[in-house]
Amino acid sequence: VSADLNTELTALINNLRSEKSQLEGSVATLKSQLVTSNSEIEKLQERIAAKNGYQLVGHNLVLYVKPLA
């Protein structure tokens, strides 16, 4: 293997490692944002149900509620 090819391969490997690290950081940030958003959505769903006299007991793209009393 020529020295030039070896240098290019080393640079390519280093670039891939850097991009992988950046991608992993982005994925971790996105996961954190999704967890935060999900928690906020769940709290909002519970508040809406309680405001209307219900207790949120489950959901699946649809809210399932029952009267508080």
Tab-separated table of all heavy atoms in Angstrom:
chain	number	residue	atom	x	y	z
A	1	VAL	N	0.856	-1.172	0.000
A	1	VAL	CA	0.000	0.000	0.000
A	1	VAL	C	0.898	1.230	0.000
A	1	VAL	O	1.809	1.347	0.810
A	1	VAL	CB	-0.939	0.006	1.224
A	1	VAL	CG1	-1.787	1.244	1.269
A	1	VAL	CG2	-1.791	-1.238	1.235
A	2	SER	N	0.603	2.152	-0.900
A	2	SER	CA	1.427	3.351	-0.995
A	2	SER	C	1.193	4.255	0.197
A	2	SER	O	0.167	4.184	0.874
A	2	SER	CB	1.109	4.105	-2.290
A	2	SER	OG	-0.168	4.707	-2.199
A	3	ALA	N	2.155	5.122	0.472
A	3	ALA	CA	2.053	6.045	1.599
A	3	ALA	C	0.870	6.989	1.418
A	3	ALA	O	0.173	7.299	2.393
A	3	ALA	CB	3.355	6.830	1.747
A	4	ASP	N	0.624	7.429	0.173
A	4	ASP	CA	-0.505	8.343	-0.080
A	4	ASP	C	-1.844	7.659	0.214
A	4	ASP	O	-2.735	8.249	0.829
A	4	ASP	CB	-0.491	8.830	-1.531
A	4	ASP	CG	0.630	9.819	-1.816
A	4	ASP	OD1	1.151	10.405	-0.845
A	4	ASP	OD2	0.957	9.998	-2.997
A	5	LEU	N	-1.979	6.413	-0.204
A	5	LEU	CA	-3.213	5.677	0.035
A	5	LEU	C	-3.397	5.438	1.528
A	5	LEU	O	-4.500	5.577	2.059
A	5	LEU	CB	-3.200	4.353	-0.729
A	5	LEU	CG	-4.452	3.491	-0.600
A	5	LEU	CD1	-5.697	4.266	-1.029
A	5	LEU	CD2	-4.316	2.224	-1.412
A	6	ASN	N	-2.321	5.100	2.204
A	6	ASN	CA	-2.378	4.879	3.645
A	6	ASN	C	-2.801	6.158	4.367
A	6	ASN	O	-3.626	6.119	5.283
A	6	ASN	CB	-1.018	4.389	4.153
A	6	ASN	CG	-1.099	3.866	5.569
A	6	ASN	OD1	-2.132	3.384	5.991
A	6	ASN	ND2	0.003	3.957	6.286
A	7	THR	N	-2.277	7.297	3.939
A	7	THR	CA	-2.635	8.586	4.535
A	7	THR	C	-4.109	8.896	4.296
A	7	THR	O	-4.819	9.337	5.206
A	7	THR	CB	-1.760	9.710	3.945
A	7	THR	OG1	-0.395	9.414	4.225
A	7	THR	CG2	-2.118	11.059	4.526
A	8	GLU	N	-4.588	8.639	3.079
A	8	GLU	CA	-5.994	8.886	2.757
A	8	GLU	C	-6.915	7.978	3.574
A	8	GLU	O	-7.957	8.419	4.073
A	8	GLU	CB	-6.239	8.671	1.260
A	8	GLU	CG	-5.674	9.770	0.386
A	8	GLU	CD	-5.973	9.534	-1.081
A	8	GLU	OE1	-7.110	9.102	-1.399
A	8	GLU	OE2	-5.085	9.779	-1.902
A	9	LEU	N	-6.537	6.709	3.710
A	9	LEU	CA	-7.354	5.777	4.488
A	9	LEU	C	-7.393	6.179	5.957
A	9	LEU	O	-8.443	6.118	6.597
A	9	LEU	CB	-6.814	4.357	4.345
A	9	LEU	CG	-7.063	3.696	2.989
A	9	LEU	CD1	-6.325	2.357	2.915
A	9	LEU	CD2	-8.535	3.504	2.731
A	10	THR	N	-6.274	6.610	6.488
A	10	THR	CA	-6.225	7.054	7.880
A	10	THR	C	-7.113	8.277	8.083
A	10	THR	O	-7.863	8.362	9.055
A	10	THR	CB	-4.769	7.379	8.295
A	10	THR	OG1	-3.988	6.192	8.143
A	10	THR	CG2	-4.698	7.870	9.717
A	11	ALA	N	-7.063	9.225	7.145
A	11	ALA	CA	-7.893	10.420	7.231
A	11	ALA	C	-9.371	10.046	7.146
A	11	ALA	O	-10.203	10.578	7.887
A	11	ALA	CB	-7.526	11.405	6.123
A	12	LEU	N	-9.705	9.120	6.267
A	12	LEU	CA	-11.094	8.674	6.115
A	12	LEU	C	-11.592	8.022	7.402
A	12	LEU	O	-12.699	8.310	7.880
A	12	LEU	CB	-11.216	7.702	4.947
A	12	LEU	CG	-12.590	7.105	4.705
A	12	LEU	CD1	-13.616	8.191	4.406
A	12	LEU	CD2	-12.541	6.098	3.576
A	13	ILE	N	-10.784	7.164	7.993
A	13	ILE	CA	-11.158	6.500	9.241
A	13	ILE	C	-11.363	7.530	10.342
A	13	ILE	O	-12.339	7.466	11.097
A	13	ILE	CB	-10.099	5.450	9.635
A	13	ILE	CG1	-10.172	4.267	8.676
A	13	ILE	CG2	-10.287	4.994	11.080
A	13	ILE	CD1	-9.011	3.291	8.798
A	14	ASN	N	-10.479	8.498	10.431
A	14	ASN	CA	-10.620	9.545	11.454
A	14	ASN	C	-11.885	10.365	11.246
A	14	ASN	O	-12.580	10.708	12.202
A	14	ASN	CB	-9.386	10.440	11.482
A	14	ASN	CG	-8.177	9.735	12.057
A	14	ASN	OD1	-8.308	8.786	12.831
A	14	ASN	ND2	-6.991	10.179	11.668
A	15	ASN	N	-12.197	10.685	10.001
A	15	ASN	CA	-13.425	11.435	9.696
A	15	ASN	C	-14.661	10.632	10.074
A	15	ASN	O	-15.622	11.171	10.637
A	15	ASN	CB	-13.485	11.806	8.213
A	15	ASN	CG	-12.558	12.945	7.860
A	15	ASN	OD1	-12.133	13.704	8.729
A	15	ASN	ND2	-12.210	13.060	6.589
A	16	LEU	N	-14.654	9.342	9.769
A	16	LEU	CA	-15.789	8.490	10.118
A	16	LEU	C	-15.972	8.397	11.625
A	16	LEU	O	-17.099	8.439	12.122
A	16	LEU	CB	-15.613	7.094	9.519
A	16	LEU	CG	-15.777	7.002	7.997
A	16	LEU	CD1	-15.394	5.611	7.510
A	16	LEU	CD2	-17.184	7.357	7.572
A	17	ARG	N	-14.883	8.302	12.358
A	17	ARG	CA	-14.971	8.254	13.816
A	17	ARG	C	-15.556	9.553	14.365
A	17	ARG	O	-16.378	9.543	15.276
A	17	ARG	CB	-13.593	7.999	14.427
A	17	ARG	CG	-13.128	6.584	14.282
A	17	ARG	CD	-11.767	6.364	14.909
A	17	ARG	NE	-11.365	4.978	14.783
A	17	ARG	CZ	-10.121	4.577	14.664
A	17	ARG	NH1	-9.130	5.459	14.663
A	17	ARG	NH2	-9.834	3.293	14.562
A	18	SER	N	-15.133	10.667	13.803
A	18	SER	CA	-15.634	11.973	14.243
A	18	SER	C	-17.127	12.100	13.948
A	18	SER	O	-17.902	12.553	14.792
A	18	SER	CB	-14.861	13.086	13.549
A	18	SER	OG	-15.401	14.344	13.868
A	19	GLU	N	-17.527	11.699	12.743
A	19	GLU	CA	-18.941	11.781	12.371
A	19	GLU	C	-19.792	10.859	13.243
A	19	GLU	O	-20.899	11.216	13.635
A	19	GLU	CB	-19.121	11.444	10.887
A	19	GLU	CG	-18.584	12.532	9.970
A	19	GLU	CD	-18.701	12.190	8.502
A	19	GLU	OE1	-19.435	11.229	8.163
A	19	GLU	OE2	-18.057	12.864	7.690
A	20	LYS	N	-19.268	9.683	13.558
A	20	LYS	CA	-19.988	8.749	14.427
A	20	LYS	C	-20.197	9.375	15.802
A	20	LYS	O	-21.285	9.315	16.370
A	20	LYS	CB	-19.218	7.441	14.560
A	20	LYS	CG	-19.893	6.444	15.481
A	20	LYS	CD	-19.048	5.192	15.678
A	20	LYS	CE	-19.739	4.273	16.674
A	20	LYS	NZ	-18.818	3.439	17.389
A	21	SER	N	-19.170	10.000	16.329
A	21	SER	CA	-19.267	10.643	17.644
A	21	SER	C	-20.296	11.770	17.620
A	21	SER	O	-21.102	11.904	18.547
A	21	SER	CB	-17.900	11.185	18.053
A	21	SER	OG	-17.981	11.870	19.265
A	22	GLN	N	-20.288	12.576	16.568
A	22	GLN	CA	-21.258	13.669	16.447
A	22	GLN	C	-22.678	13.116	16.340
A	22	GLN	O	-23.613	13.640	16.950
A	22	GLN	CB	-20.932	14.528	15.230
A	22	GLN	CG	-19.674	15.341	15.382
A	22	GLN	CD	-19.285	16.062	14.094
A	22	GLN	OE1	-19.989	16.002	13.099
A	22	GLN	NE2	-18.148	16.736	14.121
A	23	LEU	N	-22.859	12.054	15.577
A	23	LEU	CA	-24.175	11.448	15.409
A	23	LEU	C	-24.676	10.872	16.727
A	23	LEU	O	-25.838	11.054	17.090
A	23	LEU	CB	-24.117	10.352	14.342
A	23	LEU	CG	-25.419	9.617	14.052
A	23	LEU	CD1	-26.496	10.598	13.589
A	23	LEU	CD2	-25.207	8.530	13.022
A	24	GLU	N	-23.791	10.213	17.468
A	24	GLU	CA	-24.190	9.666	18.762
A	24	GLU	C	-24.634	10.780	19.707
A	24	GLU	O	-25.595	10.632	20.452
A	24	GLU	CB	-23.042	8.858	19.372
A	24	GLU	CG	-22.814	7.536	18.661
A	24	GLU	CD	-21.543	6.828	19.106
A	24	GLU	OE1	-20.667	7.468	19.729
A	24	GLU	OE2	-21.417	5.629	18.805
A	25	GLY	N	-23.934	11.909	19.681
A	25	GLY	CA	-24.319	13.053	20.502
A	25	GLY	C	-25.674	13.607	20.097
A	25	GLY	O	-26.506	13.935	20.948
A	26	SER	N	-25.926	13.672	18.799
A	26	SER	CA	-27.210	14.165	18.303
A	26	SER	C	-28.349	13.232	18.696
A	26	SER	O	-29.425	13.677	19.077
A	26	SER	CB	-27.168	14.309	16.780
A	26	SER	OG	-26.235	15.291	16.400
A	27	VAL	N	-28.107	11.935	18.609
A	27	VAL	CA	-29.130	10.955	18.980
A	27	VAL	C	-29.440	11.067	20.470
A	27	VAL	O	-30.605	11.045	20.879
A	27	VAL	CB	-28.673	9.521	18.610
A	27	VAL	CG1	-29.570	8.475	19.238
A	27	VAL	CG2	-28.658	9.358	17.094
A	28	ALA	N	-28.418	11.216	21.299
A	28	ALA	CA	-28.627	11.352	22.743
A	28	ALA	C	-29.442	12.607	23.049
A	28	ALA	O	-30.347	12.575	23.889
A	28	ALA	CB	-27.292	11.391	23.475
A	29	THR	N	-29.151	13.705	22.370
A	29	THR	CA	-29.891	14.944	22.571
A	29	THR	C	-31.351	14.772	22.154
A	29	THR	O	-32.263	15.190	22.862
A	29	THR	CB	-29.257	16.090	21.756
A	29	THR	OG1	-27.922	16.286	22.218
A	29	THR	CG2	-30.035	17.384	21.903
A	30	LEU	N	-31.575	14.133	21.024
A	30	LEU	CA	-32.937	13.910	20.536
A	30	LEU	C	-33.720	13.028	21.500
A	30	LEU	O	-34.885	13.312	21.807
A	30	LEU	CB	-32.906	13.276	19.150
A	30	LEU	CG	-34.247	12.999	18.492
A	30	LEU	CD1	-35.087	14.270	18.397
A	30	LEU	CD2	-34.059	12.382	17.128
A	31	LYS	N	-33.092	11.974	22.012
A	31	LYS	CA	-33.767	11.104	22.978
A	31	LYS	C	-34.173	11.900	24.210
A	31	LYS	O	-35.278	11.745	24.728
A	31	LYS	CB	-32.857	9.944	23.381
A	31	LYS	CG	-32.749	8.867	22.350
A	31	LYS	CD	-31.850	7.733	22.851
A	31	LYS	CE	-31.723	6.626	21.835
A	31	LYS	NZ	-30.825	5.557	22.321
A	32	SER	N	-33.287	12.766	24.683
A	32	SER	CA	-33.577	13.582	25.859
A	32	SER	C	-34.754	14.511	25.590
A	32	SER	O	-35.645	14.673	26.435
A	32	SER	CB	-32.346	14.389	26.248
A	32	SER	OG	-32.631	15.277	27.297
A	33	GLN	N	-34.789	15.119	24.412
A	33	GLN	CA	-35.886	16.012	24.058
A	33	GLN	C	-37.201	15.253	23.954
A	33	GLN	O	-38.246	15.752	24.367
A	33	GLN	CB	-35.580	16.718	22.736
A	33	GLN	CG	-34.462	17.727	22.852
A	33	GLN	CD	-34.030	18.274	21.502
A	33	GLN	OE1	-34.343	17.728	20.454
A	33	GLN	NE2	-33.278	19.357	21.547
A	34	LEU	N	-37.165	14.049	23.411
A	34	LEU	CA	-38.385	13.250	23.294
A	34	LEU	C	-38.933	12.857	24.658
A	34	LEU	O	-40.140	12.897	24.882
A	34	LEU	CB	-38.121	11.996	22.453
A	34	LEU	CG	-37.951	12.226	20.960
A	34	LEU	CD1	-37.507	10.931	20.275
A	34	LEU	CD2	-39.215	12.756	20.326
A	35	VAL	N	-38.048	12.487	25.567
A	35	VAL	CA	-38.487	12.126	26.912
A	35	VAL	C	-39.131	13.327	27.585
A	35	VAL	O	-40.190	13.215	28.204
A	35	VAL	CB	-37.301	11.580	27.749
A	35	VAL	CG1	-37.661	11.492	29.216
A	35	VAL	CG2	-36.883	10.224	27.214
A	36	THR	N	-38.506	14.502	27.455
A	36	THR	CA	-39.052	15.726	28.044
A	36	THR	C	-40.412	16.049	27.427
A	36	THR	O	-41.369	16.334	28.143
A	36	THR	CB	-38.086	16.910	27.837
A	36	THR	OG1	-36.854	16.593	28.492
A	36	THR	CG2	-38.645	18.187	28.408
A	37	SER	N	-40.499	15.979	26.101
A	37	SER	CA	-41.759	16.275	25.414
A	37	SER	C	-42.839	15.288	25.826
A	37	SER	O	-43.983	15.673	26.071
A	37	SER	CB	-41.563	16.215	23.896
A	37	SER	OG	-40.703	17.232	23.464
A	38	ASN	N	-42.486	14.022	25.921
A	38	ASN	CA	-43.458	13.002	26.298
A	38	ASN	C	-43.989	13.266	27.701
A	38	ASN	O	-45.186	13.161	27.945
A	38	ASN	CB	-42.817	11.610	26.223
A	38	ASN	CG	-43.824	10.505	26.393
A	38	ASN	OD1	-44.908	10.561	25.841
A	38	ASN	ND2	-43.463	9.502	27.174
A	39	SER	N	-43.108	13.627	28.616
A	39	SER	CA	-43.523	13.925	29.989
A	39	SER	C	-44.465	15.120	30.018
A	39	SER	O	-45.475	15.110	30.719
A	39	SER	CB	-42.290	14.195	30.849
A	39	SER	OG	-42.655	14.594	32.136
A	40	GLU	N	-44.150	16.149	29.248
A	40	GLU	CA	-44.998	17.345	29.195
A	40	GLU	C	-46.358	17.012	28.592
A	40	GLU	O	-47.392	17.495	29.064
A	40	GLU	CB	-44.304	18.441	28.390
A	40	GLU	CG	-43.076	19.003	29.082
A	40	GLU	CD	-42.270	19.941	28.199
A	40	GLU	OE1	-42.658	20.184	27.032
A	40	GLU	OE2	-41.230	20.424	28.684
A	41	ILE	N	-46.377	16.189	27.563
A	41	ILE	CA	-47.640	15.795	26.930
A	41	ILE	C	-48.497	14.998	27.907
A	41	ILE	O	-49.706	15.211	28.016
A	41	ILE	CB	-47.369	14.990	25.641
A	41	ILE	CG1	-46.796	15.917	24.568
A	41	ILE	CG2	-48.637	14.298	25.147
A	41	ILE	CD1	-46.252	15.185	23.356
A	42	GLU	N	-47.872	14.076	28.635
A	42	GLU	CA	-48.626	13.279	29.599
A	42	GLU	C	-49.238	14.157	30.685
A	42	GLU	O	-50.395	13.965	31.067
A	42	GLU	CB	-47.727	12.205	30.211
A	42	GLU	CG	-47.413	11.095	29.228
A	42	GLU	CD	-46.554	10.002	29.829
A	42	GLU	OE1	-46.353	9.992	31.053
A	42	GLU	OE2	-46.086	9.148	29.057
A	43	LYS	N	-48.490	15.144	31.167
A	43	LYS	CA	-49.023	16.052	32.190
A	43	LYS	C	-50.180	16.867	31.624
A	43	LYS	O	-51.185	17.081	32.301
A	43	LYS	CB	-47.919	16.978	32.697
A	43	LYS	CG	-46.887	16.274	33.548
A	43	LYS	CD	-45.766	17.217	33.937
A	43	LYS	CE	-44.670	16.476	34.673
A	43	LYS	NZ	-43.503	17.326	34.935
A	44	LEU	N	-50.043	17.321	30.396
A	44	LEU	CA	-51.108	18.097	29.763
A	44	LEU	C	-52.366	17.247	29.593
A	44	LEU	O	-53.480	17.717	29.868
A	44	LEU	CB	-50.631	18.627	28.405
A	44	LEU	CG	-51.643	19.441	27.594
A	44	LEU	CD1	-52.106	20.668	28.387
A	44	LEU	CD2	-51.043	19.853	26.274
A	45	GLN	N	-52.208	16.005	29.190
A	45	GLN	CA	-53.357	15.114	29.032
A	45	GLN	C	-54.082	14.940	30.365
A	45	GLN	O	-55.320	14.976	30.415
A	45	GLN	CB	-52.908	13.748	28.505
A	45	GLN	CG	-52.423	13.783	27.075
A	45	GLN	CD	-51.771	12.477	26.652
A	45	GLN	OE1	-51.401	11.642	27.472
A	45	GLN	NE2	-51.627	12.295	25.355
A	46	GLU	N	-53.316	14.750	31.432
A	46	GLU	CA	-53.925	14.580	32.754
A	46	GLU	C	-54.660	15.845	33.191
A	46	GLU	O	-55.763	15.768	33.744
A	46	GLU	CB	-52.851	14.208	33.781
A	46	GLU	CG	-52.299	12.815	33.570
A	46	GLU	CD	-51.103	12.498	34.450
A	46	GLU	OE1	-50.666	13.368	35.230
A	46	GLU	OE2	-50.602	11.360	34.355
A	47	ARG	N	-54.085	17.023	32.916
A	47	ARG	CA	-54.741	18.285	33.286
A	47	ARG	C	-56.038	18.478	32.509
A	47	ARG	O	-57.047	18.915	33.059
A	47	ARG	CB	-53.795	19.470	33.055
A	47	ARG	CG	-52.701	19.595	34.089
A	47	ARG	CD	-52.063	20.975	34.118
A	47	ARG	NE	-51.666	21.475	32.815
A	47	ARG	CZ	-50.434	21.384	32.302
A	47	ARG	NH1	-49.477	20.795	32.980
A	47	ARG	NH2	-50.161	21.882	31.115
A	48	ILE	N	-56.025	18.159	31.231
A	48	ILE	CA	-57.228	18.312	30.411
A	48	ILE	C	-58.332	17.384	30.915
A	48	ILE	O	-59.490	17.791	31.046
A	48	ILE	CB	-56.919	18.052	28.923
A	48	ILE	CG1	-56.032	19.169	28.368
A	48	ILE	CG2	-58.205	17.910	28.106
A	48	ILE	CD1	-55.468	18.880	26.987
A	49	ALA	N	-57.957	16.150	31.214
A	49	ALA	CA	-58.957	15.200	31.718
A	49	ALA	C	-59.534	15.694	33.039
A	49	ALA	O	-60.756	15.709	33.219
A	49	ALA	CB	-58.324	13.814	31.895
A	50	ALA	N	-58.682	16.111	33.979
A	50	ALA	CA	-59.150	16.576	35.293
A	50	ALA	C	-60.009	17.826	35.151
A	50	ALA	O	-61.035	17.955	35.825
A	50	ALA	CB	-57.954	16.859	36.205
A	51	LYS	N	-59.637	18.729	34.257
A	51	LYS	CA	-60.412	19.956	34.035
A	51	LYS	C	-61.839	19.628	33.595
A	51	LYS	O	-62.769	20.356	33.898
A	51	LYS	CB	-59.713	20.811	32.973
A	51	LYS	CG	-60.431	22.090	32.628
A	51	LYS	CD	-59.678	22.870	31.566
A	51	LYS	CE	-60.452	24.099	31.156
A	51	LYS	NZ	-59.772	24.844	30.094
A	52	ASN	N	-61.987	18.508	32.919
A	52	ASN	CA	-63.299	18.102	32.418
A	52	ASN	C	-63.970	17.061	33.311
A	52	ASN	O	-64.956	16.438	32.918
A	52	ASN	CB	-63.165	17.585	30.987
A	52	ASN	CG	-62.864	18.711	30.020
A	52	ASN	OD1	-63.733	19.505	29.699
A	52	ASN	ND2	-61.614	18.824	29.591
A	53	GLY	N	-63.404	16.872	34.515
A	53	GLY	CA	-64.033	15.989	35.480
A	53	GLY	C	-63.691	14.518	35.325
A	53	GLY	O	-64.460	13.656	35.736
A	54	TYR	N	-62.542	14.221	34.729
A	54	TYR	CA	-62.146	12.838	34.507
A	54	TYR	C	-60.737	12.583	35.038
A	54	TYR	O	-59.954	13.504	35.253
A	54	TYR	CB	-62.163	12.501	33.008
A	54	TYR	CG	-63.541	12.539	32.406
A	54	TYR	CD1	-64.025	13.706	31.813
A	54	TYR	CD2	-64.350	11.417	32.435
A	54	TYR	CE1	-65.293	13.747	31.256
A	54	TYR	CE2	-65.615	11.445	31.877
A	54	TYR	CZ	-66.080	12.612	31.291
A	54	TYR	OH	-67.333	12.636	30.758
A	55	GLN	N	-60.429	11.300	35.214
A	55	GLN	CA	-59.073	10.874	35.547
A	55	GLN	C	-58.540	10.120	34.343
A	55	GLN	O	-59.180	9.183	33.855
A	55	GLN	CB	-59.079	9.956	36.774
A	55	GLN	CG	-57.710	9.400	37.102
A	55	GLN	CD	-57.781	8.374	38.226
A	55	GLN	OE1	-58.849	7.985	38.678
A	55	GLN	NE2	-56.625	7.936	38.678
A	56	LEU	N	-57.392	10.494	33.852
A	56	LEU	CA	-56.773	9.800	32.725
A	56	LEU	C	-56.269	8.441	33.199
A	56	LEU	O	-55.501	8.351	34.144
A	56	LEU	CB	-55.606	10.632	32.172
A	56	LEU	CG	-54.886	10.070	30.955
A	56	LEU	CD1	-55.838	9.986	29.767
A	56	LEU	CD2	-53.686	10.927	30.612
A	57	VAL	N	-56.749	7.389	32.574
A	57	VAL	CA	-56.359	6.041	32.988
A	57	VAL	C	-55.554	5.307	31.919
A	57	VAL	O	-55.082	4.200	32.148
A	57	VAL	CB	-57.586	5.196	33.401
A	57	VAL	CG1	-58.252	5.795	34.627
A	57	VAL	CG2	-58.572	5.075	32.259
A	58	GLY	N	-55.381	5.898	30.762
A	58	GLY	CA	-54.579	5.297	29.710
A	58	GLY	C	-54.735	6.064	28.414
A	58	GLY	O	-55.603	6.919	28.294
A	59	HIS	N	-53.868	5.767	27.449
A	59	HIS	CA	-53.989	6.407	26.137
A	59	HIS	C	-53.250	5.597	25.084
A	59	HIS	O	-52.316	4.855	25.385
A	59	HIS	CB	-53.471	7.857	26.169
A	59	HIS	CG	-52.026	7.976	26.553
A	59	HIS	ND1	-51.012	7.921	25.643
A	59	HIS	CD2	-51.451	8.144	27.754
A	59	HIS	CE1	-49.859	8.062	26.273
A	59	HIS	NE2	-50.101	8.196	27.564
A	60	ASN	N	-53.725	5.730	23.882
A	60	ASN	CA	-53.109	5.107	22.722
A	60	ASN	C	-53.555	5.920	21.514
A	60	ASN	O	-54.427	5.508	20.770
A	60	ASN	CB	-53.541	3.645	22.601
A	60	ASN	CG	-52.847	2.945	21.462
A	60	ASN	OD1	-51.896	3.473	20.906
A	60	ASN	ND2	-53.320	1.761	21.102
A	61	LEU	N	-52.998	7.106	21.402
A	61	LEU	CA	-53.416	8.082	20.407
A	61	LEU	C	-54.847	8.551	20.645
A	61	LEU	O	-55.377	9.337	19.900
A	61	LEU	CB	-53.257	7.566	18.977
A	61	LEU	CG	-51.842	7.189	18.551
A	61	LEU	CD1	-51.852	6.622	17.147
A	61	LEU	CD2	-50.892	8.380	18.634
A	62	VAL	N	-55.453	8.015	21.664
A	62	VAL	CA	-56.797	8.385	22.091
A	62	VAL	C	-56.749	8.459	23.611
A	62	VAL	O	-56.108	7.644	24.250
A	62	VAL	CB	-57.839	7.321	21.660
A	62	VAL	CG1	-59.217	7.664	22.171
A	62	VAL	CG2	-57.841	7.150	20.155
A	63	LEU	N	-57.429	9.431	24.196
A	63	LEU	CA	-57.461	9.519	25.653
A	63	LEU	C	-58.588	8.665	26.198
A	63	LEU	O	-59.717	8.730	25.726
A	63	LEU	CB	-57.664	10.975	26.100
A	63	LEU	CG	-56.611	11.982	25.666
A	63	LEU	CD1	-56.979	13.363	26.199
A	63	LEU	CD2	-55.240	11.579	26.134
A	64	TYR	N	-58.284	7.852	27.207
A	64	TYR	CA	-59.277	7.057	27.908
A	64	TYR	C	-59.450	7.669	29.278
A	64	TYR	O	-58.494	7.810	30.023
A	64	TYR	CB	-58.807	5.596	28.044
A	64	TYR	CG	-58.572	4.950	26.696
A	64	TYR	CD1	-57.312	4.935	26.130
A	64	TYR	CD2	-59.624	4.364	26.004
A	64	TYR	CE1	-57.090	4.345	24.894
A	64	TYR	CE2	-59.412	3.766	24.769
A	64	TYR	CZ	-58.145	3.762	24.225
A	64	TYR	OH	-57.944	3.183	22.997
A	65	VAL	N	-60.678	8.058	29.633
A	65	VAL	CA	-60.924	8.763	30.894
A	65	VAL	C	-62.081	8.133	31.631
A	65	VAL	O	-62.864	7.372	31.067
A	65	VAL	CB	-61.215	10.266	30.634
A	65	VAL	CG1	-60.016	10.956	30.017
A	65	VAL	CG2	-62.433	10.433	29.759
A	66	LYS	N	-62.162	8.480	32.931
A	66	LYS	CA	-63.315	8.069	33.719
A	66	LYS	C	-63.631	9.225	34.661
A	66	LYS	O	-62.747	10.014	35.012
A	66	LYS	CB	-63.040	6.778	34.499
A	66	LYS	CG	-62.017	6.917	35.594
A	66	LYS	CD	-61.848	5.597	36.361
A	66	LYS	CE	-60.927	5.801	37.541
A	66	LYS	NZ	-60.766	4.558	38.314
A	67	PRO	N	-64.883	9.363	35.069
A	67	PRO	CA	-65.250	10.460	35.968
A	67	PRO	C	-64.466	10.385	37.273
A	67	PRO	O	-64.154	9.305	37.770
A	67	PRO	CB	-66.749	10.228	36.218
A	67	PRO	CG	-67.203	9.382	35.086
A	67	PRO	CD	-66.023	8.543	34.693
A	68	LEU	N	-64.129	11.539	37.832
A	68	LEU	CA	-63.415	11.597	39.103
A	68	LEU	C	-64.303	11.156	40.262
A	68	LEU	O	-63.832	10.575	41.229
A	68	LEU	CB	-62.883	13.018	39.372
A	68	LEU	CG	-61.754	13.470	38.470
A	68	LEU	CD1	-61.434	14.949	38.712
A	68	LEU	CD2	-60.518	12.621	38.687
A	69	ALA	N	-65.586	11.476	40.180
A	69	ALA	CA	-66.520	11.165	41.282
A	69	ALA	C	-67.060	9.774	41.190
A	69	ALA	O	-67.109	9.079	40.259
A	69	ALA	CB	-67.658	12.156	41.286
